[in-house]
PDB file of all heavy atoms in Angstrom:
ATOM      1  N   PRO Z   1      -5.325   6.717   6.729  1.00  0.00           N
ATOM      2  CA  PRO Z   1      -4.228   6.220   5.964  1.00  0.00           C
ATOM      3  C   PRO Z   1      -4.479   6.394   4.409  1.00  0.00           C
ATOM      4  O   PRO Z   1      -5.549   6.021   3.948  1.00  0.00           O
ATOM      5  CB  PRO Z   1      -4.170   4.753   6.314  1.00  0.00           C
ATOM      6  CG  PRO Z   1      -5.639   4.361   6.862  1.00  0.00           C
ATOM      7  CD  PRO Z   1      -6.136   5.586   7.301  1.00  0.00           C
ATOM      8  N   MET Z   2      -3.461   6.899   3.733  1.00  0.00           N
ATOM      9  CA  MET Z   2      -3.583   7.003   2.299  1.00  0.00           C
ATOM     10  C   MET Z   2      -2.402   6.399   1.591  1.00  0.00           C
ATOM     11  O   MET Z   2      -1.370   6.067   2.252  1.00  0.00           O
ATOM     12  CB  MET Z   2      -3.612   8.557   1.931  1.00  0.00           C
ATOM     13  CG  MET Z   2      -4.705   9.351   2.672  1.00  0.00           C
ATOM     14  SD  MET Z   2      -6.297   9.010   1.871  1.00  0.00           S
ATOM     15  CE  MET Z   2      -7.284  10.334   2.728  1.00  0.00           C
ATOM     16  N   MET Z   3      -2.376   6.424   0.287  1.00  0.00           N
ATOM     17  CA  MET Z   3      -1.258   5.915  -0.494  1.00  0.00           C
ATOM     18  C   MET Z   3      -1.317   6.593  -1.861  1.00  0.00           C
ATOM     19  O   MET Z   3      -2.297   6.597  -2.491  1.00  0.00           O
ATOM     20  CB  MET Z   3      -1.297   4.395  -0.665  1.00  0.00           C
ATOM     21  CG  MET Z   3      -0.188   3.756  -1.434  1.00  0.00           C
ATOM     22  SD  MET Z   3      -0.052   2.009  -1.285  1.00  0.00           S
ATOM     23  CE  MET Z   3       0.388   1.911   0.466  1.00  0.00           C
ATOM     24  N   TYR Z   4      -0.105   7.024  -2.301  1.00  0.00           N
ATOM     25  CA  TYR Z   4       0.009   7.531  -3.590  1.00  0.00           C
ATOM     26  C   TYR Z   4      -0.048   6.417  -4.602  1.00  0.00           C
ATOM     27  O   TYR Z   4       0.494   5.333  -4.353  1.00  0.00           O
ATOM     28  CB  TYR Z   4       1.280   8.345  -3.855  1.00  0.00           C
ATOM     29  CG  TYR Z   4       1.287   9.362  -5.012  1.00  0.00           C
ATOM     30  CD1 TYR Z   4       0.092   9.839  -5.511  1.00  0.00           C
ATOM     31  CD2 TYR Z   4       2.542   9.567  -5.637  1.00  0.00           C
ATOM     32  CE1 TYR Z   4       0.130  10.659  -6.711  1.00  0.00           C
ATOM     33  CE2 TYR Z   4       2.551  10.375  -6.709  1.00  0.00           C
ATOM     34  CZ  TYR Z   4       1.425  10.980  -7.231  1.00  0.00           C
ATOM     35  OH  TYR Z   4       1.501  11.735  -8.321  1.00  0.00           O
ATOM     36  N   MET Z   5      -0.715   6.554  -5.765  1.00  0.00           N
ATOM     37  CA  MET Z   5      -0.956   5.482  -6.685  1.00  0.00           C
ATOM     38  C   MET Z   5       0.296   4.823  -7.187  1.00  0.00           C
ATOM     39  O   MET Z   5       0.291   3.569  -7.256  1.00  0.00           O
ATOM     40  CB  MET Z   5      -1.798   5.946  -7.942  1.00  0.00           C
ATOM     41  CG  MET Z   5      -2.229   4.848  -8.780  1.00  0.00           C
ATOM     42  SD  MET Z   5      -3.402   3.696  -7.995  1.00  0.00           S
ATOM     43  CE  MET Z   5      -4.920   4.672  -7.968  1.00  0.00           C
ATOM     44  N   PRO Z   6       1.449   5.431  -7.417  1.00  0.00           N
ATOM     45  CA  PRO Z   6       2.619   4.676  -7.802  1.00  0.00           C
ATOM     46  C   PRO Z   6       2.975   3.655  -6.833  1.00  0.00           C
ATOM     47  O   PRO Z   6       3.460   2.542  -7.229  1.00  0.00           O
ATOM     48  CB  PRO Z   6       3.626   5.820  -8.017  1.00  0.00           C
ATOM     49  CG  PRO Z   6       2.891   6.968  -8.421  1.00  0.00           C
ATOM     50  CD  PRO Z   6       1.623   6.912  -7.637  1.00  0.00           C
ATOM     51  N   ASP Z   7       2.864   3.919  -5.508  1.00  0.00           N
ATOM     52  CA  ASP Z   7       3.182   2.959  -4.464  1.00  0.00           C
ATOM     53  C   ASP Z   7       2.223   1.848  -4.517  1.00  0.00           C
ATOM     54  O   ASP Z   7       2.490   0.672  -4.248  1.00  0.00           O
ATOM     55  CB  ASP Z   7       3.173   3.652  -3.158  1.00  0.00           C
ATOM     56  CG  ASP Z   7       4.485   4.244  -2.700  1.00  0.00           C
ATOM     57  OD1 ASP Z   7       5.573   3.834  -3.379  1.00  0.00           O
ATOM     58  OD2 ASP Z   7       4.532   4.987  -1.724  1.00  0.00           O
ATOM     59  N   ALA Z   8       0.865   2.233  -4.767  1.00  0.00           N
ATOM     60  CA  ALA Z   8      -0.122   1.100  -4.792  1.00  0.00           C
ATOM     61  C   ALA Z   8      -0.011   0.232  -5.844  1.00  0.00           C
ATOM     62  O   ALA Z   8      -0.083  -1.032  -5.712  1.00  0.00           O
ATOM     63  CB  ALA Z   8      -1.617   1.808  -4.888  1.00  0.00           C
ATOM     64  N   VAL Z   9       0.367   0.654  -7.073  1.00  0.00           N
ATOM     65  CA  VAL Z   9       0.656  -0.160  -8.196  1.00  0.00           C
ATOM     66  C   VAL Z   9       1.885  -0.980  -7.987  1.00  0.00           C
ATOM     67  O   VAL Z   9       1.864  -2.303  -8.316  1.00  0.00           O
ATOM     68  CB  VAL Z   9       0.779   0.767  -9.518  1.00  0.00           C
ATOM     69  CG1 VAL Z   9       1.308  -0.139 -10.709  1.00  0.00           C
ATOM     70  CG2 VAL Z   9      -0.525   1.361  -9.881  1.00  0.00           C
ATOM     71  N   ARG Z  10       2.930  -0.379  -7.478  1.00  0.00           N
ATOM     72  CA  ARG Z  10       4.185  -1.138  -7.200  1.00  0.00           C
ATOM     73  C   ARG Z  10       3.965  -2.243  -6.234  1.00  0.00           C
ATOM     74  O   ARG Z  10       4.284  -3.420  -6.385  1.00  0.00           O
ATOM     75  CB  ARG Z  10       5.197  -0.272  -6.687  1.00  0.00           C
ATOM     76  CG  ARG Z  10       6.534  -0.969  -6.521  1.00  0.00           C
ATOM     77  CD  ARG Z  10       7.689   0.270  -6.254  1.00  0.00           C
ATOM     78  NE  ARG Z  10       7.280   1.051  -5.128  1.00  0.00           N
ATOM     79  CZ  ARG Z  10       7.462   0.751  -3.840  1.00  0.00           C
ATOM     80  NH1 ARG Z  10       8.076  -0.460  -3.566  1.00  0.00           N
ATOM     81  NH2 ARG Z  10       7.090   1.558  -2.963  1.00  0.00           N
ATOM     82  N   ALA Z  11       3.061  -2.015  -5.156  1.00  0.00           N
ATOM     83  CA  ALA Z  11       2.741  -3.022  -4.212  1.00  0.00           C
ATOM     84  C   ALA Z  11       1.926  -4.167  -4.829  1.00  0.00           C
ATOM     85  O   ALA Z  11       2.221  -5.263  -4.512  1.00  0.00           O
ATOM     86  CB  ALA Z  11       1.877  -2.390  -3.055  1.00  0.00           C
ATOM     87  N   THR Z  12       1.092  -3.832  -5.640  1.00  0.00           N
ATOM     88  CA  THR Z  12       0.238  -4.885  -6.267  1.00  0.00           C
ATOM     89  C   THR Z  12       1.038  -5.713  -7.280  1.00  0.00           C
ATOM     90  O   THR Z  12       0.988  -6.992  -7.059  1.00  0.00           O
ATOM     91  CB  THR Z  12      -0.945  -4.133  -7.184  1.00  0.00           C
ATOM     92  OG1 THR Z  12      -1.615  -3.337  -6.391  1.00  0.00           O
ATOM     93  CG2 THR Z  12      -1.839  -5.239  -7.741  1.00  0.00           C
ATOM     94  N   LEU Z  13       1.926  -5.146  -7.961  1.00  0.00           N
ATOM     95  CA  LEU Z  13       2.721  -6.001  -8.754  1.00  0.00           C
ATOM     96  C   LEU Z  13       3.776  -6.868  -7.998  1.00  0.00           C
ATOM     97  O   LEU Z  13       4.019  -8.032  -8.357  1.00  0.00           O
ATOM     98  CB  LEU Z  13       3.498  -5.113  -9.883  1.00  0.00           C
ATOM     99  CG  LEU Z  13       2.558  -4.440 -10.826  1.00  0.00           C
ATOM    100  CD1 LEU Z  13       3.468  -3.662 -11.860  1.00  0.00           C
ATOM    101  CD2 LEU Z  13       1.722  -5.326 -11.541  1.00  0.00           C
ATOM    102  N   ASN Z  14       4.310  -6.228  -6.935  1.00  0.00           N
ATOM    103  CA  ASN Z  14       5.269  -6.993  -6.145  1.00  0.00           C
ATOM    104  C   ASN Z  14       4.649  -8.210  -5.451  1.00  0.00           C
ATOM    105  O   ASN Z  14       5.190  -9.312  -5.407  1.00  0.00           O
ATOM    106  CB  ASN Z  14       5.960  -6.080  -5.105  1.00  0.00           C
ATOM    107  CG  ASN Z  14       6.874  -5.054  -5.619  1.00  0.00           C
ATOM    108  OD1 ASN Z  14       7.271  -5.122  -6.809  1.00  0.00           O
ATOM    109  ND2 ASN Z  14       7.227  -4.136  -4.860  1.00  0.00           N
ATOM    110  N   LEU Z  15       3.417  -7.991  -5.053  1.00  0.00           N
ATOM    111  CA  LEU Z  15       2.611  -9.071  -4.408  1.00  0.00           C
ATOM    112  C   LEU Z  15       2.382 -10.173  -5.429  1.00  0.00           C
ATOM    113  O   LEU Z  15       2.565 -11.356  -5.061  1.00  0.00           O
ATOM    114  CB  LEU Z  15       1.341  -8.565  -3.928  1.00  0.00           C
ATOM    115  CG  LEU Z  15       0.360  -9.518  -3.271  1.00  0.00           C
ATOM    116  CD1 LEU Z  15       0.909 -10.386  -2.138  1.00  0.00           C
ATOM    117  CD2 LEU Z  15      -1.051  -8.974  -2.969  1.00  0.00           C
ATOM    118  N   MET Z  16       1.935  -9.773  -6.646  1.00  0.00           N
ATOM    119  CA  MET Z  16       1.646 -10.765  -7.697  1.00  0.00           C
ATOM    120  C   MET Z  16       2.825 -11.492  -8.086  1.00  0.00           C
ATOM    121  O   MET Z  16       2.839 -12.691  -8.585  1.00  0.00           O
ATOM    122  CB  MET Z  16       0.803 -10.111  -8.779  1.00  0.00           C
ATOM    123  CG  MET Z  16      -0.570  -9.697  -8.350  1.00  0.00           C
ATOM    124  SD  MET Z  16      -1.628 -11.141  -8.000  1.00  0.00           S
ATOM    125  CE  MET Z  16      -2.103 -11.685  -9.584  1.00  0.00           C
ATOM    126  N   GLU Z  17       3.991 -10.896  -8.107  1.00  0.00           N
ATOM    127  CA  GLU Z  17       5.289 -11.484  -8.531  1.00  0.00           C
ATOM    128  C   GLU Z  17       6.007 -12.346  -7.497  1.00  0.00           C
ATOM    129  O   GLU Z  17       6.842 -13.087  -7.786  1.00  0.00           O
ATOM    130  CB  GLU Z  17       6.279 -10.377  -9.090  1.00  0.00           C
ATOM    131  CG  GLU Z  17       5.645  -9.771 -10.339  1.00  0.00           C
ATOM    132  CD  GLU Z  17       6.469  -8.418 -10.671  1.00  0.00           C
ATOM    133  OE1 GLU Z  17       7.370  -8.052  -9.878  1.00  0.00           O
ATOM    134  OE2 GLU Z  17       6.054  -7.638 -11.607  1.00  0.00           O
ATOM    135  N   ALA Z  18       5.555 -12.098  -6.262  1.00  0.00           N
ATOM    136  CA  ALA Z  18       6.184 -12.886  -5.132  1.00  0.00           C
ATOM    137  C   ALA Z  18       5.908 -14.408  -5.337  1.00  0.00           C
ATOM    138  O   ALA Z  18       4.866 -14.739  -5.710  1.00  0.00           O
ATOM    139  CB  ALA Z  18       5.696 -12.450  -3.864  1.00  0.00           C
ATOM    140  N   PRO Z  19       6.945 -15.279  -4.905  1.00  0.00           N
ATOM    141  CA  PRO Z  19       6.749 -16.581  -5.043  1.00  0.00           C
ATOM    142  C   PRO Z  19       5.572 -17.140  -4.144  1.00  0.00           C
ATOM    143  O   PRO Z  19       5.419 -16.492  -3.070  1.00  0.00           O
ATOM    144  CB  PRO Z  19       8.089 -17.247  -4.545  1.00  0.00           C
ATOM    145  CG  PRO Z  19       8.672 -16.178  -3.774  1.00  0.00           C
ATOM    146  CD  PRO Z  19       8.260 -14.899  -4.482  1.00  0.00           C
ATOM    147  N   GLY Z  20       4.806 -18.096  -4.558  1.00  0.00           N
ATOM    148  CA  GLY Z  20       3.710 -18.537  -3.778  1.00  0.00           C
ATOM    149  C   GLY Z  20       4.003 -19.007  -2.377  1.00  0.00           C
ATOM    150  O   GLY Z  20       3.135 -18.870  -1.456  1.00  0.00           O
ATOM    151  N   THR Z  21       5.282 -19.459  -2.202  1.00  0.00           N
ATOM    152  CA  THR Z  21       5.702 -19.900  -0.874  1.00  0.00           C
ATOM    153  C   THR Z  21       5.769 -18.799   0.109  1.00  0.00           C
ATOM    154  O   THR Z  21       5.724 -19.033   1.309  1.00  0.00           O
ATOM    155  CB  THR Z  21       7.083 -20.666  -1.008  1.00  0.00           C
ATOM    156  OG1 THR Z  21       8.039 -19.800  -1.591  1.00  0.00           O
ATOM    157  CG2 THR Z  21       6.835 -21.936  -1.745  1.00  0.00           C
ATOM    158  N   ALA Z  22       5.906 -17.606  -0.316  1.00  0.00           N
ATOM    159  CA  ALA Z  22       6.115 -16.430   0.465  1.00  0.00           C
ATOM    160  C   ALA Z  22       4.781 -15.855   0.940  1.00  0.00           C
ATOM    161  O   ALA Z  22       4.587 -15.144   1.909  1.00  0.00           O
ATOM    162  CB  ALA Z  22       6.867 -15.271  -0.213  1.00  0.00           C
ATOM    163  N   ILE Z  23       3.610 -16.332   0.276  1.00  0.00           N
ATOM    164  CA  ILE Z  23       2.313 -15.667   0.480  1.00  0.00           C
ATOM    165  C   ILE Z  23       1.634 -16.448   1.519  1.00  0.00           C
ATOM    166  O   ILE Z  23       0.990 -17.547   1.204  1.00  0.00           O
ATOM    167  CB  ILE Z  23       1.487 -15.555  -0.721  1.00  0.00           C
ATOM    168  CG1 ILE Z  23       2.241 -14.858  -1.840  1.00  0.00           C
ATOM    169  CG2 ILE Z  23       0.251 -14.845  -0.458  1.00  0.00           C
ATOM    170  CD1 ILE Z  23       2.608 -13.391  -1.429  1.00  0.00           C
ATOM    171  N   LYS Z  24       1.683 -16.071   2.751  1.00  0.00           N
ATOM    172  CA  LYS Z  24       1.113 -16.878   3.989  1.00  0.00           C
ATOM    173  C   LYS Z  24      -0.222 -16.381   4.201  1.00  0.00           C
ATOM    174  O   LYS Z  24      -1.044 -17.151   4.888  1.00  0.00           O
ATOM    175  CB  LYS Z  24       1.991 -16.713   5.160  1.00  0.00           C
ATOM    176  CG  LYS Z  24       3.437 -17.012   4.863  1.00  0.00           C
ATOM    177  CD  LYS Z  24       3.638 -18.483   4.472  1.00  0.00           C
ATOM    178  CE  LYS Z  24       5.260 -18.769   4.502  1.00  0.00           C
ATOM    179  NZ  LYS Z  24       5.488 -20.119   3.961  1.00  0.00           N
ATOM    180  N   THR Z  25      -0.557 -15.161   3.865  1.00  0.00           N
ATOM    181  CA  THR Z  25      -1.871 -14.503   4.145  1.00  0.00           C
ATOM    182  C   THR Z  25      -2.773 -14.533   2.940  1.00  0.00           C
ATOM    183  O   THR Z  25      -2.411 -13.979   1.973  1.00  0.00           O
ATOM    184  CB  THR Z  25      -1.627 -13.023   4.609  1.00  0.00           C
ATOM    185  OG1 THR Z  25      -0.792 -13.038   5.755  1.00  0.00           O
ATOM    186  CG2 THR Z  25      -2.959 -12.426   4.952  1.00  0.00           C
ATOM    187  N   ARG Z  26      -3.876 -15.301   3.037  1.00  0.00           N
ATOM    188  CA  ARG Z  26      -4.794 -15.312   1.876  1.00  0.00           C
ATOM    189  C   ARG Z  26      -6.082 -14.659   2.069  1.00  0.00           C
ATOM    190  O   ARG Z  26      -7.031 -14.879   1.343  1.00  0.00           O
ATOM    191  CB  ARG Z  26      -5.019 -16.821   1.562  1.00  0.00           C
ATOM    192  CG  ARG Z  26      -3.758 -17.527   1.116  1.00  0.00           C
ATOM    193  CD  ARG Z  26      -3.217 -17.061  -0.229  1.00  0.00           C
ATOM    194  NE  ARG Z  26      -2.053 -17.793  -0.769  1.00  0.00           N
ATOM    195  CZ  ARG Z  26      -1.619 -17.762  -1.926  1.00  0.00           C
ATOM    196  NH1 ARG Z  26      -2.242 -16.945  -2.873  1.00  0.00           N
ATOM    197  NH2 ARG Z  26      -0.548 -18.263  -2.204  1.00  0.00           N
ATOM    198  N   THR Z  27      -6.239 -13.920   3.211  1.00  0.00           N
ATOM    199  CA  THR Z  27      -7.348 -13.073   3.337  1.00  0.00           C
ATOM    200  C   THR Z  27      -6.907 -11.692   2.556  1.00  0.00           C
ATOM    201  O   THR Z  27      -7.387 -11.612   1.386  1.00  0.00           O
ATOM    202  CB  THR Z  27      -7.711 -12.701   4.850  1.00  0.00           C
ATOM    203  OG1 THR Z  27      -6.461 -12.426   5.447  1.00  0.00           O
ATOM    204  CG2 THR Z  27      -8.303 -13.913   5.551  1.00  0.00           C
ATOM    205  N   SER Z  28      -6.176 -10.829   3.242  1.00  0.00           N
ATOM    206  CA  SER Z  28      -5.713  -9.611   2.588  1.00  0.00           C
ATOM    207  C   SER Z  28      -4.668  -8.944   3.431  1.00  0.00           C
ATOM    208  O   SER Z  28      -4.742  -9.038   4.677  1.00  0.00           O
ATOM    209  CB  SER Z  28      -6.918  -8.671   2.328  1.00  0.00           C
ATOM    210  OG  SER Z  28      -6.555  -7.663   1.451  1.00  0.00           O
ATOM    211  N   TYR Z  29      -3.650  -8.432   2.833  1.00  0.00           N
ATOM    212  CA  TYR Z  29      -2.566  -7.803   3.569  1.00  0.00           C
ATOM    213  C   TYR Z  29      -2.866  -6.288   3.807  1.00  0.00           C
ATOM    214  O   TYR Z  29      -3.171  -5.488   2.902  1.00  0.00           O
ATOM    215  CB  TYR Z  29      -1.267  -7.817   2.658  1.00  0.00           C
ATOM    216  CG  TYR Z  29      -0.565  -9.193   2.548  1.00  0.00           C
ATOM    217  CD1 TYR Z  29      -0.853  -9.995   1.501  1.00  0.00           C
ATOM    218  CD2 TYR Z  29       0.226  -9.665   3.649  1.00  0.00           C
ATOM    219  CE1 TYR Z  29      -0.197 -11.310   1.422  1.00  0.00           C
ATOM    220  CE2 TYR Z  29       0.848 -10.839   3.545  1.00  0.00           C
ATOM    221  CZ  TYR Z  29       0.671 -11.698   2.401  1.00  0.00           C
ATOM    222  OH  TYR Z  29       1.226 -12.818   2.290  1.00  0.00           O
ATOM    223  N   ASN Z  30      -2.516  -5.862   5.054  1.00  0.00           N
ATOM    224  CA  ASN Z  30      -2.369  -4.565   5.410  1.00  0.00           C
ATOM    225  C   ASN Z  30      -1.206  -3.949   4.736  1.00  0.00           C
ATOM    226  O   ASN Z  30      -0.056  -4.621   4.644  1.00  0.00           O
ATOM    227  CB  ASN Z  30      -2.108  -4.422   6.958  1.00  0.00           C
ATOM    228  CG  ASN Z  30      -3.356  -4.439   7.788  1.00  0.00           C
ATOM    229  OD1 ASN Z  30      -4.443  -4.713   7.258  1.00  0.00           O
ATOM    230  ND2 ASN Z  30      -3.079  -4.155   9.043  1.00  0.00           N
ATOM    231  N   ILE Z  31      -1.283  -2.863   4.056  1.00  0.00           N
ATOM    232  CA  ILE Z  31      -0.098  -2.041   3.611  1.00  0.00           C
ATOM    233  C   ILE Z  31      -0.278  -0.539   3.972  1.00  0.00           C
ATOM    234  O   ILE Z  31      -1.480  -0.131   4.110  1.00  0.00           O
ATOM    235  CB  ILE Z  31       0.158  -2.138   2.049  1.00  0.00           C
ATOM    236  CG1 ILE Z  31      -1.009  -1.588   1.290  1.00  0.00           C
ATOM    237  CG2 ILE Z  31       0.568  -3.626   1.735  1.00  0.00           C
ATOM    238  CD1 ILE Z  31      -0.600  -1.570  -0.165  1.00  0.00           C
ATOM    239  N   SER Z  32       0.836  -0.031   4.309  1.00  0.00           N
ATOM    240  CA  SER Z  32       0.788   1.390   4.713  1.00  0.00           C
ATOM    241  C   SER Z  32       1.608   2.280   3.749  1.00  0.00           C
ATOM    242  O   SER Z  32       2.529   1.929   3.168  1.00  0.00           O
ATOM    243  CB  SER Z  32       1.478   1.501   6.226  1.00  0.00           C
ATOM    244  OG  SER Z  32       1.423   2.785   6.736  1.00  0.00           O
ATOM    245  N   GLY Z  33       1.049   3.570   3.691  1.00  0.00           N
ATOM    246  CA  GLY Z  33       1.665   4.654   2.891  1.00  0.00           C
ATOM    247  C   GLY Z  33       1.899   5.854   3.619  1.00  0.00           C
ATOM    248  O   GLY Z  33       2.908   5.915   4.350  1.00  0.00           O
ATOM    249  N   ILE Z  34       1.027   6.705   3.576  1.00  0.00           N
ATOM    250  CA  ILE Z  34       1.019   8.091   4.253  1.00  0.00           C
ATOM    251  C   ILE Z  34      -0.203   8.196   5.041  1.00  0.00           C
ATOM    252  O   ILE Z  34      -1.327   7.975   4.584  1.00  0.00           O
ATOM    253  CB  ILE Z  34       1.117   9.242   3.255  1.00  0.00           C
ATOM    254  CG1 ILE Z  34       2.073   8.842   2.067  1.00  0.00           C
ATOM    255  CG2 ILE Z  34       1.597  10.501   3.921  1.00  0.00           C
ATOM    256  CD1 ILE Z  34       1.815   9.688   0.889  1.00  0.00           C
ATOM    257  N   SER Z  35      -0.135   8.645   6.365  1.00  0.00           N
ATOM    258  CA  SER Z  35      -1.376   8.977   7.133  1.00  0.00           C
ATOM    259  C   SER Z  35      -1.313  10.608   7.295  1.00  0.00           C
ATOM    260  O   SER Z  35      -0.271  11.000   7.791  1.00  0.00           O
ATOM    261  CB  SER Z  35      -1.389   8.284   8.379  1.00  0.00           C
ATOM    262  OG  SER Z  35      -1.631   6.948   8.293  1.00  0.00           O
ATOM    263  N   PHE Z  36      -2.473  11.123   7.001  1.00  0.00           N
ATOM    264  CA  PHE Z  36      -2.408  12.646   7.156  1.00  0.00           C
ATOM    265  C   PHE Z  36      -3.920  13.129   7.345  1.00  0.00           C
ATOM    266  O   PHE Z  36      -4.892  12.376   7.129  1.00  0.00           O
ATOM    267  CB  PHE Z  36      -1.813  13.391   6.012  1.00  0.00           C
ATOM    268  CG  PHE Z  36      -2.366  13.076   4.622  1.00  0.00           C
ATOM    269  CD1 PHE Z  36      -3.597  13.624   4.211  1.00  0.00           C
ATOM    270  CD2 PHE Z  36      -1.754  12.167   3.813  1.00  0.00           C
ATOM    271  CE1 PHE Z  36      -4.128  13.357   2.977  1.00  0.00           C
ATOM    272  CE2 PHE Z  36      -2.194  11.860   2.596  1.00  0.00           C
ATOM    273  CZ  PHE Z  36      -3.429  12.423   2.197  1.00  0.00           C
ATOM    274  N   THR Z  37      -4.075  14.327   7.726  1.00  0.00           N
ATOM    275  CA  THR Z  37      -5.391  14.903   7.922  1.00  0.00           C
ATOM    276  C   THR Z  37      -5.686  15.933   6.767  1.00  0.00           C
ATOM    277  O   THR Z  37      -4.666  16.412   6.081  1.00  0.00           O
ATOM    278  CB  THR Z  37      -5.434  15.737   9.308  1.00  0.00           C
ATOM    279  OG1 THR Z  37      -4.574  16.887   9.201  1.00  0.00           O
ATOM    280  CG2 THR Z  37      -5.050  14.797  10.434  1.00  0.00           C
ATOM    281  N   PRO Z  38      -6.889  16.317   6.586  1.00  0.00           N
ATOM    282  CA  PRO Z  38      -7.137  17.362   5.569  1.00  0.00           C
ATOM    283  C   PRO Z  38      -6.398  18.573   5.710  1.00  0.00           C
ATOM    284  O   PRO Z  38      -5.791  19.379   4.934  1.00  0.00           O
ATOM    285  CB  PRO Z  38      -8.729  17.582   5.660  1.00  0.00           C
ATOM    286  CG  PRO Z  38      -9.167  16.300   6.189  1.00  0.00           C
ATOM    287  CD  PRO Z  38      -8.177  15.829   7.075  1.00  0.00           C
ATOM    288  N   ARG Z  39      -6.205  19.016   7.145  1.00  0.00           N
ATOM    289  CA  ARG Z  39      -5.500  20.229   7.469  1.00  0.00           C
ATOM    290  C   ARG Z  39      -4.052  20.070   6.976  1.00  0.00           C
ATOM    291  O   ARG Z  39      -3.345  21.002   6.339  1.00  0.00           O
ATOM    292  CB  ARG Z  39      -5.563  20.474   8.860  1.00  0.00           C
ATOM    293  CG  ARG Z  39      -4.798  21.800   9.344  1.00  0.00           C
ATOM    294  CD  ARG Z  39      -4.911  22.026  10.806  1.00  0.00           C
ATOM    295  NE  ARG Z  39      -4.708  20.900  11.710  1.00  0.00           N
ATOM    296  CZ  ARG Z  39      -3.480  20.568  11.909  1.00  0.00           C
ATOM    297  NH1 ARG Z  39      -2.457  21.217  11.588  1.00  0.00           N
ATOM    298  NH2 ARG Z  39      -3.251  19.389  12.738  1.00  0.00           N
ATOM    299  N   GLU Z  40      -3.377  18.972   7.323  1.00  0.00           N
ATOM    300  CA  GLU Z  40      -1.977  18.754   6.928  1.00  0.00           C
ATOM    301  C   GLU Z  40      -1.866  18.676   5.375  1.00  0.00           C
ATOM    302  O   GLU Z  40      -0.872  19.165   4.889  1.00  0.00           O
ATOM    303  CB  GLU Z  40      -1.555  17.428   7.630  1.00  0.00           C
ATOM    304  CG  GLU Z  40      -1.410  17.454   9.053  1.00  0.00           C
ATOM    305  CD  GLU Z  40      -1.168  16.063   9.754  1.00  0.00           C
ATOM    306  OE1 GLU Z  40      -1.355  15.063   9.028  1.00  0.00           O
ATOM    307  OE2 GLU Z  40      -0.755  16.096  10.817  1.00  0.00           O
ATOM    308  N   LEU Z  41      -2.733  18.062   4.726  1.00  0.00           N
ATOM    309  CA  LEU Z  41      -2.668  18.071   3.176  1.00  0.00           C
ATOM    310  C   LEU Z  41      -2.814  19.564   2.649  1.00  0.00           C
ATOM    311  O   LEU Z  41      -2.081  19.949   1.748  1.00  0.00           O
ATOM    312  CB  LEU Z  41      -3.780  17.135   2.622  1.00  0.00           C
ATOM    313  CG  LEU Z  41      -3.908  17.082   1.075  1.00  0.00           C
ATOM    314  CD1 LEU Z  41      -2.470  16.689   0.614  1.00  0.00           C
ATOM    315  CD2 LEU Z  41      -4.970  16.109   0.683  1.00  0.00           C
ATOM    316  N   SER Z  42      -3.697  20.274   3.244  1.00  0.00           N
ATOM    317  CA  SER Z  42      -3.959  21.648   2.821  1.00  0.00           C
ATOM    318  C   SER Z  42      -2.678  22.543   2.993  1.00  0.00           C
ATOM    319  O   SER Z  42      -2.329  23.297   2.240  1.00  0.00           O
ATOM    320  CB  SER Z  42      -5.159  22.396   3.450  1.00  0.00           C
ATOM    321  OG  SER Z  42      -4.885  22.632   4.815  1.00  0.00           O
ATOM    322  N   GLU Z  43      -1.952  22.301   4.097  1.00  0.00           N
ATOM    323  CA  GLU Z  43      -0.683  22.917   4.441  1.00  0.00           C
ATOM    324  C   GLU Z  43       0.390  22.548   3.377  1.00  0.00           C
ATOM    325  O   GLU Z  43       1.174  23.432   2.937  1.00  0.00           O
ATOM    326  CB  GLU Z  43      -0.238  22.632   5.881  1.00  0.00           C
ATOM    327  CG  GLU Z  43      -1.044  23.236   6.937  1.00  0.00           C
ATOM    328  CD  GLU Z  43      -1.208  24.751   6.870  1.00  0.00           C
ATOM    329  OE1 GLU Z  43      -0.134  25.412   6.555  1.00  0.00           O
ATOM    330  OE2 GLU Z  43      -2.257  25.340   7.046  1.00  0.00           O
TER     331      GLU Z  43
END
């Protein structure tokens, strides 16, 4: 699993700006972006 940095930055700011009442997970959140292989990236 990978993520392009603009998505990672946006996720971080969105998380930090969310109201505290929305944040139920205080370990760490899974987030998904793009999953690919080296071969697929090379193509």
